């Protein structure tokens, strides 16, 4: 098997757009915050499942810059989830040797939430080879602009390498697979630069209903896809023979 045909291969890095908490709750006549609480539990389960399968990196989209325009009560509910449950959930994941990183403009979060997140990052900063990126107050366009400014301020010529290494995920391989739940088929400003060659997988299920088996089905579909990275089938076959 060559490098482009990935039968049986696991994605090294999965991006997860956790959409549908609100609709899941509405259907059950529950407040949106209940949807987010169930989403948090599901996120924990899926992360455990992904790292146990051998995936090395996962990036979860927990709050976009645009989500910050939601009613304050909903945002407060999400911040409370971080205060009350996030650390317990993360401890379990990080015991697997996973480094936690928060990506996004964390300064937009309440001070105490920032402190909790920074402490969790600090706690796991020695771990290498496995990582969980939690995107909070995150937007890919802002990330790209920030990275361009960093590269220029460092006196570097703006190249794909200098820009890419100044992204929040600069030392992490690009996502191989991006999964979005909730039935919408778009990236919504998530990892736009890094997703150039990611395989996309969309599920109709609302996030709290997206099971470990659903994750495994997405990974199995990924394993059956052919990645050509812009080359022709013939070139890919030639690459494989040369390996
Ligand atoms: C999108 O669903 C989901 C969010 C904006 C929040 C995602 C959060 C979690 C899964 C759990 C909490 C995790 C952390 C780290 C805080 P939506 O509310 O837009 O659903 P809808 O499209 O059905 O309205």
């Amino acid at each position: 098997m060559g490098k482009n045909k990935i039968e049986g291969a696991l994605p090294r890095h999965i991006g997860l757009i956790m959409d549908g908490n609100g609709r899941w709750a509405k259907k059950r006549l529950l407040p949106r915050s209940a949807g987010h609480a169930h989403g948090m539990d599901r996120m924990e389960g899926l992360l455990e499942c992904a790292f146990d399968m051998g995936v090395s990196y996962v990036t979860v989209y927990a709050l976009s810059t645009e989500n910050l325009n939601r009613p304050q009560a909903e945002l407060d509910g999400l911040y409370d989830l971080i205060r009350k449950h996030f650390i317990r959930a993360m401890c379990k994941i990080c015991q697997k040797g996973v480094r936690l990183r928060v990506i996004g403009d964390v300064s937009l979060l309440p001070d105490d939430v920032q402190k909790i997140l920074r402490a969790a990052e600090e706690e796991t900063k020695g771990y290498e080879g496995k990582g969980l990126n939690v995107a909070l107050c995150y937007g890919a366009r802002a990330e790209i602009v920030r990275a361009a400014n960093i590269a220029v301020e460092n006196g570097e010529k703006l190249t794909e390498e200098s820009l890419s290494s100044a992204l929040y995920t600069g030392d992490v391989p690009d996502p191989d697979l991006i999964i979005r739940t909730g039935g919408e088929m778009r990236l919504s400003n998530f990892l736009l630069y890094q997703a150039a060659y990611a395989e996309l997988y969309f599920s109709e299920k609302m996030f709290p209903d997206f099971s470990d088996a659903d994750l495994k089905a997405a990974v199995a579909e990924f394993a059956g896809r052919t990645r050509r990275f812009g080359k022709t089938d013939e070139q890919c076959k030639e690459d494989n023979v040369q390996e």
Side-chain angles (χ1 to χ4, degrees):
M1 188 175 68
K3 72 178 172 194
N4 298 305
K5 183 70 185 167
I6 48 167
E7 258 171 26
L10 265 183
R12 241 188 332 166
H13 181 177
I14 295 181
L16 185 55
I17 304 178
M18 307 181 290
D19 194 17
N21 292 344
R23 279 165 289 162
W24 182 92
K26 192 173 176 192
K27 198 173 160 197
R28 290 161 180 78
L29 306 177
L30 294 168
R32 294 178 64 83
S33 57
H36 293 317
H38 280 81
M40 172 77 92
D41 284 348
R42 198 71 292 272
M43 180 181 85
E44 184 184 339
L46 289 169
L47 289 172
E48 222 178 329
C49 177
F51 288 115
D52 287 350
M53 281 167 81
V55 171
S56 303
Y57 300 93
V58 182
T59 301
V60 290
Y61 204 6
L63 192 68
S64 70
T65 331
E66 291 72 26
N67 291 152
L68 291 173
N69 297 319
R70 291 201 173 181
Q72 193 56 43
E74 180 169 346
L75 294 176
D76 287 342
L78 277 168
Y79 302 150
D80 264 350
L81 271 182
I82 296 177
R83 290 185 184 103
K84 293 180 185 149
H85 302 290
F86 185 75
I87 295 305
R88 173 190 51 80
M90 289 310 106
C91 276
K92 221 162 143 195
I93 305 302
C94 293
Q95 273 166 8
K96 298 180 187 295
V98 175
R99 178 178 179 167
L100 172 80
R101 186 178 286 163
V102 180
I103 64 172
D105 188 355
V106 181
S107 72
L108 299 173
L109 294 169
D111 286 348
D112 65 316
V113 173
Q114 289 184 40
K115 275 196 194 119
I116 291 172
L117 296 170
R118 290 293 173 229
E121 284 184 324
E122 193 60 27
E123 191 84 1
T124 62
K125 71 173 185 203
Y127 296 145
E128 276 175 34
K130 282 196 244 177
L132 165 62
N133 304 313
V134 181
L136 280 164
C137 310
Y138 172 87
R141 287 182 176 175
E143 178 189 28
I144 294 166
V145 171
R146 174 182 173 274
N149 282 319
I150 292 174
V152 169
E153 278 161 24
N154 288 344
E156 289 166 14
K157 187 165 181 286
L158 209 50
T159 62
E160 288 192 17
E161 285 70 30
S162 66
L163 182 72
S164 157
S165 65
L167 295 170
Y168 291 119
T169 56
D171 56 353
V172 172
D174 283 344
D176 305 292
L177 170 65
I178 294 184
I179 300 171
R180 179 175 187 144
T181 63
E184 312 287 359
M185 294 202 229
R186 52 178 172 261
L187 288 177
S188 297
N189 209 11
F190 181 58
L191 301 181
L192 295 184
Y193 193 90
Q194 299 90 325
Y197 282 100
E199 296 295 322
L200 306 181
Y201 183 93
F202 299 102
S203 168
E204 286 296 319
K205 288 204 176 171
M206 300 297 126
F207 185 66
D209 288 331
F210 193 75
S211 64
D212 291 1
D214 293 324
L215 174 66
K216 287 178 185 161
V219 167
E221 183 173 319
F222 168 86
R225 290 193 192 174
T226 303
R227 301 179 88 190
R228 283 188 290 275
F229 299 98
K231 294 185 177 180
T232 64
D233 273 337
E234 288 68 28
Q235 287 174 307
C236 290
K237 273 187 205 129
E238 216 165 276
D239 283 354
N240 296 342
V241 169
Q242 279 164 12
E243 267 171 26

